[in-house]
Amino acid sequence: MRMQWNFRLVNTRVLMLIFLLLPVFVFSQTVSKGVSDFNKGWKLLMREENKAQVRDFDDASWRSVDLPHDGSIEGSFEQRNPVGVHGGFLPTGTYMYRKSFFIDAANKNKDVYIDFDGVYRNSEVWINGHYLGKRPNGYITFRYELTNFIKYGAEKNVLVVKADNAAQPSSRWYTGTGIYRNVRLAVLDKVHVRNWGIAITTPSVTKTKATIVLKTTITNNLGSNQPVVIKQILLDKEGKQVTVTRDSLNLTRKEHIREQQLTVQTPHLWSDKDPFLYTIITQVIYNKEVKDEHRTRYGIRHFKFDPQEGFILNERKLKIRGVCNHHDLGCLGAAVNRSAIKRQLQILKEMGCNGIRTSHNPPAPELLDLCDEMGFIVMDEAFDIWKTAKTYFDYHWNWDEWHKRDLEDQVLRDRNHPSVFIWSIGNEIPEQTGSDQSGSRIAAELKSIVSNIDPTRPVTAGNNHPDKGNNIIKSGALDLIGVNYHHDEWKHFNSYYPGQVFIGTETVSALQTRGEYKFPSDKLMRWGNTQNPVTNDIYDFTCSAFDQTRAPWGSTHEETLKVFRRYDFLSGMYVWSGFDYLGEPTPFSWPARSSY
């Protein structure tokens, strides 16, 4: 199977090379009002260029590229690459991106914004030579306002992005490098809905009636008292109007928040088996014209986690049978590909999977959109690192300055997705242990940040030391006690943590190679520990598919499922992992480069 994998990878590389040699026609995009796809027509230099942010810089020799783009997957697997075994032995670096575009002169009185779903990492952005800012976190979505620096009509605008992923190692898995998620340009009226400014909740849901509460934040950049109407329209799956509400108000400040309610009779509830989605249209109307409009897909559902009964969705007991997934797409790399994500979710759904944990970072919006459509129960995870490092150049350097902003932006962006049921504030955080109690203080702070924005969902963390001395658990910040592995201790959970709710945040870590079978089939192997060290000269880089091999910290699927199915209070578990990913090829090292 490893030979087959290598053959497919070579073929993928050949196809990529053929594509890169084809002639590419570069165009400059002209943008009119609204939100536009901003992925096409970029220029790329895969090294740092200190003068590239200058508007009139000559980039004619640069390579033409469309986004999303992952430069690391284009490189060669080399043992000397500094990402090492965890990063899959692929190269990184500093990349420069430039894009020329024009804004229609009719938009001189509009506000202009640029939205990035994710740039890995340490991104810096310039517009027409003006510096807009830096976002170190490679997984976070962010926006910059361009209004004061834009040129209109025949005058060219130049947007420049620097992605600096040169310092390695920066992660425990393959990250990719570059603008690997989608980019959009928004040209909006001076009065518009603020970015992520719609908050939707359903405080009351029964089979006969549901109440939807909408809080809309309106930005007023006209600088004067503006009479406006906020109109909310609820459509069913077929596009038929279910109900509507409208409010009039005077905008006397730069920002206003307006709360409205919609009542839905006999609501069609969202579930993993029937992921029914309504559409809420939010309109901002002034001078008798619709000046801004947003469409939000929304699922009505209610749920709870019970200490004895586990997870209950719409009054139905349900075991969460989920998987953990990294953001990359295997040999396709980290560049977002909606079709590839959908294919993975379809295969998982056919297997009986109903949950996804976004391990260990904010996901691409496309993943959550698909989980909404297909019925997955998502654990939306924020961090793999707090203040204490796991690799030398990781996020711990940015923690103090950025963790609050990054977590707020994640929750604001994702809070309206019906598939998101759980917020996770961390994975296997070193601050679980230690006498300084910093884990307790940070956990309490992160819980407060989440709950101030979204008090409707429980907060957890993946604890690989789930004992009574765990600082994160002791903080009382976790609504769900998240446990990584330790399946043989699950049965004692109620005595360890009376009145608390269990969730298996990460489980199993069994090791398998499809089509490889080792005999005797009933012999269990614990690879990678001191009793059975893995040395590359005596193994063939395969693991048995008999479910007889596991990592030393993990368990086989069978022995885990036996415990999981036995106890009602075990609300759910997320198996490591749903799909193989680049990097972390336990139990082997070079030349292995993808997980087992």
Side-chain angles (χ1 to χ4, degrees):
M1 185 59 189
R2 297 302 292 180
M3 292 180 63
Q4 187 178 18
W5 164 261
N6 293 338
F7 176 74
R8 288 176 179 171
L9 185 59
V10 169
N11 276 324
T12 302
R13 290 233 175 121
V14 171
L15 290 173
M16 289 173 63
L17 180 61
I18 292 171
F19 174 78
L20 295 176
L21 293 176
L22 292 175
V24 179
F25 299 94
V26 181
F27 67 96
S28 293
Q29 184 171 354
T30 300
V31 179
S32 56
K33 179 184 173 184
V35 179
S36 304
D37 182 310
F38 214 57
N39 287 329
K40 295 188 181 301
W42 289 76
K43 303 298 288 291
L44 167 67
L45 183 69
M46 294 178 72
R47 60 176 173 80
E48 187 166 8
E49 171 52 69
N50 292 328
K51 297 180 180 179
Q53 67 269 25
V54 177
R55 177 170 170 263
D56 296 326
F57 178 85
D58 183 5
D59 59 15
S61 63
W62 289 24
R63 170 182 153 196
S64 296
V65 67
D66 292 337
L67 306 179
H69 170 255
D70 172 15
S72 290
I73 197 66
E74 298 177 8
S76 299
F77 293 97
E78 300 286 350
Q79 190 173 8
R80 67 175 182 269
N81 282 329
V83 297
V85 62
H86 292 294
F89 299 107
L90 282 165
T92 61
T94 300
Y95 300 167
M96 306 294 296
Y97 297 83
R98 286 172 54 93
K99 180 177 169 69
S100 300
F101 63 101
F102 298 87
I103 300 285
D104 194 301
N107 293 311
K108 281 189 176 181
N109 293 321
K110 302 292 190 295
D111 289 341
V112 184
Y113 302 90
I114 188 73
D115 294 328
F116 294 89
D117 284 344
V119 181
Y120 205 88
R121 63 184 178 114
N122 292 318
S123 67
E124 295 181 86
V125 183
W126 294 261
I127 180 67
N128 296 329
H130 298 277
Y131 185 67
L132 296 175
K134 181 174 183 176
R135 292 302 289 260
N137 191 324
Y139 300 105
I140 209 70
T141 296
F142 57 94
R143 162 177 282 194
Y144 291 120
E145 184 170 2
L146 311 181
T147 309
N148 294 334
F149 312 113
I150 284 293
K151 300 179 182 297
Y152 295 91
E155 289 195 80
K156 180 178 69 172
N157 296 280
V158 179
L159 189 71
V160 179
V161 179
K162 175 182 174 182
D164 182 2
N165 192 26
Q168 294 295 332
S170 69
S171 177
R172 300 187 302 117
W173 56 84
Y174 174 80
T175 63
T177 305
I179 310 178
Y180 71 104
R181 291 181 180 170
N182 288 299
V183 183
R184 292 170 301 282
L185 190 76
V187 180
L188 306 176
D189 275 275
K190 291 292 183 181
V191 178
H192 58 267
V193 176
R194 193 189 71 186
N195 189 37
W196 306 323
I198 301 171
I200 308 172
T201 57
T202 46
S204 176
V205 178
T206 67
K207 293 179 180 179
T208 58
K209 188 171 73 171
T211 301
I212 301 176
V213 174
L214 304 107
K215 291 183 179 179
T216 307
T217 302
I218 304 296
T219 296
N220 172 23
N221 285 330
L222 282 175
S224 60
N225 190 348
Q226 293 298 318
V228 303
V229 172
I230 303 176
K231 186 177 181 180
Q232 307 279 8
I233 308 165
L234 182 70
L235 307 179
D236 65 14
K237 204 167 189 176
E238 286 71 44
K240 297 178 182 178
Q241 182 173 305
V242 177
T243 185
V244 63
T245 186
R246 53 190 294 148
D247 274 354
S248 299
L249 68 154
N250 287 319
L251 300 180
T252 58
R253 303 184 303 275
K254 185 175 177 63
E255 283 196 346
H256 278 256
I257 300 176
R258 175 62 66 167
E259 182 174 309
Q260 297 164 283
Q261 287 192 5
L262 295 170
T263 300
V264 185
Q265 303 295 335
T266 319
H268 193 146
L269 301 185
W270 185 100
S271 72
D272 61 318
K273 298 292 186 183
D274 182 16
F276 187 92
L277 294 173
Y278 291 91
T279 299
I280 298 174
I281 302 176
T282 302
Q283 295 179 337
V284 179
I285 303 167
Y286 68 94
N287 293 336
K288 298 182 179 180
E289 292 183 33
V290 176
K291 298 294 186 177
D292 193 20
E293 180 175 290
H294 289 257
R295 289 176 173 255
T296 307
R297 295 191 308 173
Y298 191 72
I300 300 173
R301 80 285 190 279
H302 61 104
F303 69 97
K304 67 176 181 178
F305 286 87
D306 184 85
Q308 298 303 323
E309 299 297 315
F311 179 63
I312 300 170
L313 175 62
N314 302 330
E315 301 179 6
R316 174 174 65 100
K317 287 177 60 175
L318 177 66
K319 289 261 192 183
I320 301 172
R321 292 175 166 85
V323 297
C324 306
N325 260 2
H326 275 313
H327 74 292
D328 75 298
L329 294 164
C331 64
L332 299 182
V336 165
N337 183 316
R338 192 179 191 276
S339 296
I341 297 171
K342 185 174 183 179
R343 171 185 173 272
Q344 287 192 351
L345 294 177
Q346 286 174 329
I347 293 171
L348 290 169
K349 198 72 174 181
E350 290 168 2
M351 292 170 57
C353 174
N354 65 3
I356 298 290
R357 177 190 182 212
T358 69
S359 312
H360 303 290
N361 43 260
E366 289 79 4
L367 173 70
L368 296 184
D369 289 341
L370 287 164
C371 288
D372 292 344
E373 295 173 11
M374 301 172 69
F376 285 90
I377 297 158
V378 174
M379 180 184 295
D380 199 342
E381 194 153 75
F383 303 115
D384 188 51
I385 309 105
W386 293 352
K387 288 177 69 72
T388 302
K390 292 184 178 179
T391 60
Y392 187 77
F393 292 106
D394 64 24
Y395 185 73
H396 82 281
W397 292 106
N398 311 113
W399 177 264
D400 288 340
E401 181 179 358
W402 284 104
H403 72 273
K404 183 176 185 293
R405 175 72 181 278
D406 288 341
L407 183 56
E408 287 174 340
D409 285 353
Q410 176 185 359
V411 177
L412 286 168
R413 188 197 72 170
D414 295 349
R415 62 185 170 178
N416 293 330
H417 284 280
S419 61
V420 175
F421 282 73
I422 306 165
W423 301 111
S424 172
I425 56 175
N427 170 67
E428 299 184 355
I429 298 298
E431 286 90 343
Q432 291 172 84
T433 61
S435 58
D436 63 354
Q437 305 295 306
S438 62
S440 293
R441 294 191 296 272
I442 296 173
E445 180 202 4
L446 299 181
K447 169 65 179 296
S448 176
I449 292 170
V450 172
S451 297
N452 284 340
I453 299 172
D454 177 31
T456 69
R457 295 176 176 89
V459 170
T460 191
N463 297 284
N464 59 325
H465 298 291
D467 53 73
K468 293 182 180 181
N470 183 298
N471 291 324
I472 297 173
I473 296 175
K474 285 195 303 183
S475 72
L478 304 184
D479 303 301
L480 307 178
I481 306 299
V483 177
N484 283 14
Y485 307 107
H486 295 274
H487 78 287
D488 52 343
E489 298 178 33
W490 293 355
K491 62 185 177 183
H492 303 301
F493 180 84
N494 283 334
S495 61
Y496 290 169
Y497 301 105
Q500 299 296 311
V501 184
F502 172 95
I503 186 77
T505 36
E506 186 171 317
T507 66
V508 181
S509 268
L511 307 174
Q512 297 177 327
T513 301
R514 189 187 302 271
E516 292 288 337
Y517 300 97
K518 311 285 188 184
F519 292 91
S521 60
D522 59 350
K523 179 184 178 182
L524 293 181
M525 297 184 67
R526 273 64 166 154
W527 279 19
N529 57 22
T530 55
Q531 286 74 38
N532 190 12
V534 176
T535 55
N536 293 347
D537 58 332
I538 61 171
Y539 289 105
D540 60 358
F541 296 96
T542 66
C543 298
S544 177
F546 275 136
D547 190 31
Q548 63 188 126
T549 311
R550 65 165 193 168
W553 58 84
S555 51
T556 66
H557 297 90
E558 182 179 4
E559 59 189 355
T560 311
L561 281 167
K562 284 179 177 178
V563 179
F564 179 67
R565 295 174 65 181
R566 187 174 301 144
Y567 301 100
D568 288 342
F569 69 84
L570 301 178
S571 62
M573 69 172 187
Y574 292 84
V575 173
W576 192 269
S577 62
F579 270 81
D580 285 349
Y581 54 92
L582 287 172
E584 210 172 21
T586 304
F588 301 110
S589 187
W590 174 262
R593 63 265 194 144
S594 66
S595 66
Y596 285 81

